[in-house]
Amino acid sequence: LLDECDELHINVFVITTAIGKLRRFGKSREALHVFERSKIRGVALNVVAFNAAISACGRDWEKALEFFDELRELRMEPNVITYSALISTCGNGGQWEKALELFDEF
């Protein structure tokens, strides 16, 4: 998607919207690809973009935790939406202990 839009001005708002729409239409793999490509292209991402990516992880709790760790490494502050998406992803992936751990951390 991003490769086809070279002439457009891609920013965090466009990326976040694309991730959310792709996820809603069942295209989580494509949503995560957009997120990863935006990082490669140097788009300045924010916590909202990370929240969208974590939400798009579905049952892939390990990928969601990677994004969560990356968000913290970038010194961004996780918010209630971050934790909600992460807890949901861990629960969907059968990782209830990790979900409860994150709930306690929040």
Side-chain angles (χ1 to χ4, degrees), residues 69-78:
D69 290 342
E70 185 178 350
L71 177 142
R72 292 167 122 185
E73 287 171 11
L74 293 170
R75 302 197 189 283
M76 292 183 206
E77 191 67 33

Side-chain angles (χ1 to χ4, degrees), residues 22-23 26-36 56-58:
L22 287 166
R23 181 184 63 82
K27 304 281 188 182
S28 292
R29 182 182 301 169
E30 291 85 348
L32 296 177
H33 179 75
V34 167
F35 184 72
E36 293 291 353
C57 287

Side-chain angles (χ1 to χ4, degrees), residues 9-101:
H9 178 67
I10 303 297
N11 60 37
V12 70
F13 304 109
V14 173
I15 296 302
T16 303
T17 300
I19 293 168
K21 293 294 183 186
L22 287 166
R23 181 184 63 82
R24 282 183 198 85
F25 287 110
K27 304 281 188 182
S28 292
R29 182 182 301 169
E30 291 85 348
L32 296 177
H33 179 75
V34 167
F35 184 72
E36 293 291 353
R37 291 289 299 153
S38 67
K39 291 191 296 186
I40 292 168
R41 289 182 63 151
V43 176
L45 300 173
N46 60 19
V47 70
V48 177
F50 275 90
N51 291 347
I54 290 169
S55 293
C57 287
R59 295 175 187 248
D60 190 352
W61 60 274
E62 292 173 311
K63 187 61 147 173
L65 287 173
E66 286 178 27
F67 290 151
F68 184 68
D69 290 342
E70 185 178 350
L71 177 142
R72 292 167 122 185
E73 287 171 11
L74 293 170
R75 302 197 189 283
M76 292 183 206
E77 191 67 33
N79 59 29
V80 67
I81 296 169
T82 311
Y83 279 96
S84 177
L86 192 55
I87 290 167
S88 178
T89 300
C90 287
N92 290 339
Q95 300 298 312
W96 293 106
E97 288 181 17
K98 186 62 180 174
L100 291 172
E101 179 184 318

